[in-house]
Amino acid sequence: MCGIISYIGPRDATEIVVSGLKKLEYRGYDSFGFVVKNNSDFKIAKKVGRVSEATADGLGLPKSNIAVGHTRWATHGGVTEANAHPHVSNNGKIVVVHNGIIENFQDQKKFLELQGFKFYSQTDTEIIPNTIEYHMRKYDFVEACKRSLKHLDGQYALVIIHKDENKIIAIRKEAPLVIGVGEGEFFVASDVPAFLDYTKKVIFLNEMDMAVIDTAITIFNAKKDTYVERNITNIDWDAEQAKKGNFEHFFMKEVSEQASTLEGVANIDNGLIREVADEIRNAEGIFFVACGTASYACMHGVYIFAKIAKMHINFCLAHEFPNFNHFLTPKSLVIALSQSGETADTLIAMRAAKAAGAKVISITNAMGSTAMRESDKTILTRAGPEICVLSTKAYTSQLAILTLLAYELAGKLEEGKEKLKDVVRYIYYLTSENTRKFIQEIAKNLRYTPHMYLIGRGLQYPTALEATLKIKEVSYIHAEGFAGGELKHGVIALIEHGTPCIVFTSTETETEIISNAMELKARGGYIIGVGPNNNPAFDVWIKVRESEEANSICQIIPMQILAYQLAILRGCDPDKPRNLAKSVTVK
Ligand code: AGP
């Protein structure tokens, strides 16, 4: 939930980490801080607020060859300057930034206090530099870091530097950390976009890897207790993809990329789809697991597999999986969806599946992510970097891949691909300037509403849920999504005069969902219809042509745009909503 960037090499490390951290702000933006190593002295600057406005000069940071930056999403301790990272050991010689949670930090803190250490923040992180200082009473810096790991329970991505050492130590355990490899220079970051301007050569650290980086890199694995080699991967993203281009926000840039990202899915390698489909055919007991938006993609998968492949797939929210994973056997298959590939709850569900001997397949957008590396097989959504905290293009790519898998299982992959290619052409229209202007007018009528309800049936039910999440997580309007059939079982009590209700329709569900719309209207609801046909029940109609199972892809796009417009009208940050972070790497 935090962003880390560090650099060691001949260039201006300070400038590199200040600009690099701004590219990671989507990972957490309560507060930020930097440490710059200036010969054998440190200069530290920490602030509450967002790093986007910060400059090296403004922070009084000198040029250097070693620098570290951190942007925080608070877990332990409030949003204060004292709790911002980096954190320093009592002797002032060791500085650490951390992403994750140290679960045993209270016990370790008590132990260190008995050794005479003092603490100045409420964070769990502050025990790390002091634990290393404690071990440096007997060992050198590298050995002390190794030994300190034995005292840390929980999840952590760490970057550690020492005042008297020209090196960076990077350690990962259940939290992302990647190394960018340049010419005589190294970058360590939570995510690739932070250094994509400088190199596309990346080393993905494995669990319990500890990289010691100076003019070269050596990697020690604390689990295997030995030095290891890690391959260099060439990332197929370019730096421009991780920038806004002509858009004011990543949100709308990424919404607008969906025609091309879906075209990429439509041209996906048949072999991989067929391989994964075979795993599904051969499995006994299949679970989709995911969180948030990815979980609504899973729900679509359940409907699409039932409809097209005539297969029953279970779905479970990843954090609820412990209630069901006793059903897993070595013949089971767990399919995990995760844009980031780093969501802690989803990784935990995957590991439970592996522990039960089940096969695990991931559908992720992040090459080299933990989910990818811990899966038996991975389908990459290849939607390019998704920087906005809200998932949009990765979501529709997930839907498209699940649709192709269902068509392959029905022996009709080429038909599925043709359908997807046909939808791609329509999506250029749905993401056009005209559509955006039309939706903006609708948003103006909803700007001040305190509540909003969204309903759908069949495949439009998970669409209603995903649209609901988009609206509430970026405009902060209270919105709730329901299956149309649920209205009469209590929900309709919520409807008052003028309550906005968005109703998703399709040819297949039209009769029943329109009667739901009439029930809402009869009680004063302000009805916004989304679908192929207008209807007297609608006060507003957003036309989205009938696309059968691809309705899931087409109908969410005007909702993404509506959420964006509402955020703008309500003065919210469309890319970095309050309290959120792009990748929930803590459970
Ligand atoms: C989506 O708009 C949200 N930001 C959030 O629900 C997200 O989908 C969820 O945290 C899962 O993330 P993942 O796909 O990276 O696992």
Side-chain angles (χ1 to χ4, degrees):
M1 305 283 279
C2 302
I4 292 172
I5 171 79
S6 57
Y7 172 85
I8 182 168
R11 283 196 261 205
D12 177 0
T14 307
E15 190 46 48
I16 287 173
V17 300
V18 171
S19 59
L21 194 66
K22 293 176 182 177
K23 296 189 177 71
L24 294 179
E25 198 177 18
Y26 62 89
R27 300 184 57 84
Y29 28 90
D30 298 334
S31 55
F32 66 92
F34 298 95
V35 55
V36 170
K37 189 171 178 304
N38 197 16
N39 298 322
S40 64
D41 198 7
F42 282 148
K43 173 71 177 164
I44 291 178
K46 306 203 281 190
K47 290 237 180 271
V48 170
R50 295 185 173 188
V51 69
S52 38
E53 313 307 323
T55 62
D57 293 343
L59 293 167
L61 294 170
K63 291 187 185 309
S64 168
N65 297 113
I66 298 178
V68 184
H70 180 279
T71 183
R72 184 174 182 239
W73 187 88
T75 53
H76 289 75
V79 179
T80 64
E81 201 164 289
N83 290 335
H85 298 208
H87 290 283
V88 189
S89 58
N90 277 193
N91 65 7
K93 292 192 169 192
I94 302 160
V95 176
V96 174
V97 295
H98 166 221
N99 174 19
I101 289 180
I102 305 300
E103 291 168 354
N104 66 322
F105 88 95
Q106 296 285 18
D107 294 341
Q108 187 59 13
K109 189 169 181 175
K110 287 192 185 93
F111 167 76
L112 291 168
E113 283 169 335
L114 290 173
Q115 307 298 322
F117 286 88
K118 305 246 178 293
F119 291 88
Y120 305 95
S121 81
Q122 303 161 305
T123 68
D124 53 341
T125 303
E126 201 181 357
I127 64 118
I128 300 171
N130 290 305
T131 300
I132 296 168
E133 179 188 333
Y134 168 76
H135 283 291
M136 285 193 77
R137 292 176 180 172
K138 287 186 187 168
Y139 304 100
D140 68 17
F141 178 42
V142 172
E143 184 60 26
C145 288
K146 283 182 193 172
R147 289 174 180 271
S148 298
L149 297 183
K150 295 180 173 47
H151 296 268
L152 305 181
D153 297 338
Q155 305 85 35
Y156 46 85
L158 304 175
V159 169
I160 310 160
I161 60 175
H162 189 288
K163 194 174 271 191
D164 304 328
E165 305 268 353
N166 282 324
K167 56 173 66 91
I168 286 176
I169 290 185
I171 303 169
R172 69 151 289 157
K173 179 178 178 283
E174 298 175 23
L177 206 57
V178 295
I179 296 173
V181 181
E183 293 302 320
E185 60 185 9
F186 293 94
F187 308 78
V188 181
S190 303
D191 204 352
V192 169
F195 53 71
L196 210 46
D197 282 332
Y198 305 99
T199 182
K200 293 184 184 181
K201 296 199 292 183
V202 172
I203 294 173
F204 293 101
L205 291 179
N206 279 15
E207 283 305 287
M208 297 304 281
D209 275 358
M210 182 174 114
V212 181
I213 310 169
D214 44 33
T215 53
I217 179 169
T218 50
I219 300 176
F220 174 82
N221 185 275
K223 200 185 290 182
K224 294 177 179 168
D225 197 26
T226 179
Y227 282 90
V228 293
E229 291 293 325
R230 295 291 180 227
N231 296 329
I232 292 179
T233 303
N234 285 300
I235 289 289
D236 63 358
W237 288 350
D238 67 50
E240 282 317 301
Q241 284 179 297
K243 290 177 181 151
K244 288 179 198 167
N246 299 325
F247 289 88
E248 189 181 351
H249 299 102
F250 282 109
F251 192 135
M252 198 42 73
K253 172 179 180 274
E254 291 158 9
V255 166
S256 306
E257 288 172 342
Q258 291 180 107
S260 60
T261 51
L262 286 163
E263 195 159 19
V265 174
N267 294 306
I268 198 169
D269 169 38
N270 284 0
L272 181 56
I273 292 289
R274 291 192 167 119
E275 266 180 53
V276 171
D278 284 342
E279 295 287 358
I280 294 169
R281 283 191 190 94
N282 298 331
E284 288 174 20
I286 303 169
F287 280 90
F288 286 133
V289 296
C291 299
T293 285
S295 75
Y296 301 130
C298 291
M299 286 181 73
H300 277 99
V302 173
Y303 281 87
I304 289 172
F305 274 63
K307 180 181 168 69
I308 298 168
K310 310 302 179 207
M311 288 185 77
H312 174 222
I313 310 284
N314 302 292
F315 158 64
C316 184
L317 286 165
H319 39 79
E320 290 296 317
F321 199 45
N323 299 296
F324 304 96
N325 57 28
H326 55 280
F327 291 125
L328 293 173
T329 73
K331 288 183 177 293
S332 303
L333 173 65
V334 168
I335 301 174
L337 272 66
S338 174
Q339 188 282 134
S340 63
E342 299 297 348
T343 298
D345 291 320
T346 306
L347 295 175
I348 291 167
M350 292 169 62
R351 289 166 186 153
K354 298 288 264 189
K359 276 205 173 169
V360 174
I361 287 172
S362 57
I363 299 176
T364 181
N365 195 40
M367 179 189 279
S369 62
T370 304
M372 179 172 176
R373 284 182 292 114
E374 295 188 6
S375 301
D376 296 295
K377 281 190 177 63
T378 293
I379 299 179
L380 284 169
T381 43
R382 296 190 186 283
E386 189 177 72
I387 306 298
C388 176
V389 165
L390 283 81
S391 186
T392 51
K393 60 179 183 173
Y395 170 71
T396 50
S397 289
Q398 290 165 354
L399 296 181
I401 285 169
L402 292 173
T403 303
L404 291 183
L405 281 170
Y407 268 97
E408 167 55 21
L409 287 162
K412 302 189 287 188
L413 178 56
E414 286 313 318
E415 180 184 329
K417 286 193 147 190
E418 283 315 306
K419 281 200 170 187
L420 194 51
K421 285 170 185 169
D422 179 48
V423 161
V424 165
R425 285 183 280 279
Y426 183 52
I427 286 173
Y428 277 111
Y429 160 71
L430 285 176
T431 52
S432 67
E433 188 59 34
N434 285 344
T435 307
R436 299 211 291 261
K437 283 195 171 40
F438 173 64
I439 301 286
Q440 188 176 38
E441 291 309 306
I442 297 172
K444 286 175 184 170
N445 295 332
L446 302 176
R447 173 182 187 174
Y448 297 110
T449 185
H451 306 287
M452 201 183 301
Y453 302 106
L454 298 86
I455 63 168
R457 286 176 174 259
L459 263 178
Q460 278 68 52
Y461 168 39
T463 295
L465 296 178
E466 165 58 9
T468 300
L469 178 59
K470 289 283 109 25
I471 289 168
K472 56 186 167 187
E473 69 177 325
V474 78
S475 72
Y476 315 149
I477 293 172
H478 167 245
E480 285 193 64
F482 303 105
E486 272 302 282
L487 277 183
K488 292 193 280 293
H489 299 287
V491 171
I492 203 160
L494 291 166
I495 307 306
E496 297 172 336
H497 181 70
T499 303
C501 301
I502 299 178
V503 178
F504 297 90
T505 72
S506 65
T507 308
E508 189 180 10
T509 63
E510 189 162 45
T511 306
E512 292 176 307
I513 201 70
I514 290 299
S515 69
N516 292 142
M518 299 298 278
E519 290 155 8
L520 291 168
K521 192 167 184 71
R523 287 156 183 82
Y526 176 74
I527 310 303
I528 299 163
V530 180
N533 305 311
N534 201 351
N535 187 281
F538 299 160
D539 295 289
V540 175
W541 175 39
I542 300 173
K543 178 174 177 144
V544 180
R545 78 174 198 197
E546 178 60 45
S547 305
E548 295 171 348
E549 56 278 352
N551 282 334
S552 321
I553 294 171
C554 298
Q555 292 189 1
I556 198 61
I557 290 174
M559 294 297 104
Q560 293 167 345
I561 297 170
L562 176 65
Y564 175 78
Q565 301 290 7
L566 285 169
I568 297 294
L569 288 169
R570 293 168 62 92
C572 305
D573 183 332
D575 287 334
K576 297 186 284 293
R578 68 186 180 199
N579 306 336
L580 297 182
K582 181 60 180 175
S583 177
V584 183
T585 56
V586 292
K587 55 187 177 189

